[in-house]
Coordinates of all heavy atoms in Angstrom, one line a residue:
A252 N 30.3 17.9 -28.9 CA 30.8 17.0 -29.9 C 31.1 15.6 -29.4 O 31.5 15.4 -28.3 CB 32.2 17.6 -30.4
D253 N 30.7 14.6 -30.2 CA 31.0 13.2 -29.9 C 31.3 12.5 -31.2 O 31.4 13.1 -32.3 CB 29.9 12.6 -29.1 CG 28.5 12.7 -29.8 OD1 28.5 12.9 -31.1 OD2 27.5 12.5 -29.2
E254 N 31.3 11.2 -31.2 CA 31.6 10.4 -32.4 C 30.5 10.6 -33.5 O 30.8 10.6 -34.7 CB 31.7 8.9 -32.1 CG 30.5 8.2 -31.6 CD 30.2 8.4 -30.1 OE1 31.0 9.1 -29.5 OE2 29.2 7.8 -29.6
K255 N 29.3 11.0 -33.1 CA 28.3 11.2 -34.1 C 28.5 12.5 -34.8 O 27.9 12.7 -35.9 CB 26.9 11.2 -33.4 CG 26.4 9.9 -32.9 CD 25.0 9.9 -32.4 CE 24.6 8.6 -31.8 NZ 25.3 8.2 -30.6
T256 N 29.3 13.4 -34.3 CA 29.6 14.7 -35.0 C 30.4 14.4 -36.3 O 30.3 15.2 -37.2 CB 30.5 15.6 -34.0 OG1 29.7 15.8 -32.8 CG2 30.7 16.9 -34.7
L257 N 31.0 13.3 -36.3 CA 31.7 12.9 -37.6 C 30.8 12.7 -38.8 O 31.2 12.9 -39.9 CB 32.5 11.6 -37.4 CG 33.7 11.7 -36.3 CD1 34.3 10.3 -36.1 CD2 34.7 12.7 -36.8
I258 N 29.5 12.4 -38.5 CA 28.5 12.3 -39.6 C 28.5 13.7 -40.3 O 28.5 13.7 -41.5 CB 27.1 12.0 -39.0 CG1 27.1 10.6 -38.3 CG2 26.0 12.1 -40.1 CD1 25.8 10.4 -37.5
F259 N 28.4 14.7 -39.5 CA 28.2 16.1 -40.1 C 29.5 16.7 -40.6 O 29.4 17.7 -41.3 CB 27.6 17.0 -39.0 CG 26.4 16.3 -38.3 CD1 26.4 15.8 -37.0 CD2 25.2 16.2 -39.1 CE1 25.3 15.2 -36.5 CE2 24.1 15.6 -38.5 CZ 24.1 15.1 -37.2
L260 N 30.6 16.0 -40.3 CA 31.9 16.4 -40.9 C 32.1 15.8 -42.3 O 32.4 16.5 -43.2 CB 33.0 16.1 -40.0 CG 34.4 16.3 -40.5 CD1 34.7 17.8 -40.8 CD2 35.5 15.7 -39.5
F261 N 31.8 14.5 -42.4 CA 32.1 13.8 -43.6 C 30.9 13.6 -44.6 O 31.2 13.6 -45.8 CB 32.6 12.4 -43.2 CG 34.0 12.4 -42.6 CD1 34.1 12.0 -41.2 CD2 35.1 12.8 -43.2 CE1 35.3 12.1 -40.6 CE2 36.3 12.9 -42.6 CZ 36.5 12.5 -41.3
A262 N 29.7 13.5 -44.1 CA 28.6 13.3 -45.1 C 28.5 14.4 -46.1 O 28.2 14.1 -47.3 CB 27.3 13.2 -44.3
P263 N 28.7 15.7 -45.8 CA 28.6 16.7 -46.8 C 29.7 16.6 -47.9 O 29.4 16.8 -49.1 CB 28.8 18.1 -46.1 CG 28.3 17.8 -44.7 CD 28.7 16.3 -44.4
F264 N 30.9 16.1 -47.5 CA 31.9 15.9 -48.5 C 31.5 14.7 -49.5 O 31.7 14.8 -50.7 CB 33.2 15.5 -47.9 CG 33.9 16.7 -47.3 CD1 34.3 16.7 -45.9 CD2 34.3 17.8 -48.0 CE1 34.9 17.8 -45.3 CE2 34.9 18.9 -47.4 CZ 35.2 18.9 -46.1
V265 N 30.9 13.7 -48.9 CA 30.4 12.6 -49.8 C 29.3 13.1 -50.7 O 29.3 12.7 -51.9 CB 29.8 11.4 -48.9 CG1 29.2 10.3 -49.8 CG2 31.0 10.8 -48.0
G266 N 28.4 14.0 -50.2 CA 27.4 14.6 -51.1 C 28.0 15.3 -52.3 O 27.5 15.2 -53.4
S267 N 29.1 16.0 -52.0 CA 29.8 16.7 -53.1 C 30.4 15.7 -54.1 O 30.3 15.9 -55.3 CB 30.9 17.6 -52.5 OG 30.4 18.7 -51.9
L268 N 31.0 14.7 -53.6 CA 31.7 13.7 -54.5 C 30.6 13.0 -55.4 O 31.0 12.7 -56.5 CB 32.4 12.6 -53.6 CG 33.6 13.1 -52.9 CD1 34.1 12.0 -51.9 CD2 34.7 13.4 -53.9
V269 N 29.4 12.9 -54.9 CA 28.4 12.3 -55.8 C 27.7 13.3 -56.7 O 27.4 13.0 -57.9 CB 27.3 11.6 -54.9 CG1 26.2 11.1 -55.7 CG2 27.9 10.5 -54.0
A270 N 27.5 14.5 -56.2 CA 26.8 15.5 -57.0 C 27.5 16.0 -58.2 O 26.8 16.2 -59.3 CB 26.4 16.7 -56.1
V271 N 28.8 16.1 -58.2 CA 29.5 16.7 -59.3 C 29.4 15.7 -60.5 O 29.0 16.2 -61.6 CB 31.0 17.0 -58.9 CG1 31.8 17.4 -60.2 CG2 31.1 18.1 -57.9
P272 N 29.8 14.5 -60.5 CA 29.6 13.6 -61.6 C 28.1 13.4 -62.0 O 27.8 13.3 -63.2 CB 30.2 12.3 -61.2 CG 30.3 12.3 -59.7 CD 30.4 13.7 -59.4
L273 N 27.2 13.5 -61.1 CA 25.8 13.4 -61.4 C 25.4 14.6 -62.2 O 24.6 14.4 -63.2 CB 25.0 13.4 -60.1 CG 23.5 12.9 -60.1 CD1 23.5 11.4 -60.5 CD2 22.8 13.1 -58.8
N274 N 25.8 15.8 -61.8 CA 25.5 17.0 -62.6 C 26.1 16.9 -64.0 O 25.4 17.3 -65.0 CB 26.1 18.2 -61.9 CG 25.8 19.5 -62.6 OD1 24.7 19.9 -62.7 ND2 26.9 20.0 -63.2

Side-chain angles (χ1 to χ4, degrees):
D253 57 20
E254 65 278 2
K255 294 185 179 66
T256 303
L257 296 175
I258 297 170
F259 309 107
L260 176 63
F261 291 113
F264 286 123
V265 174
S267 286
L268 289 170
V269 175
V271 173
L273 197 66
N274 178 72

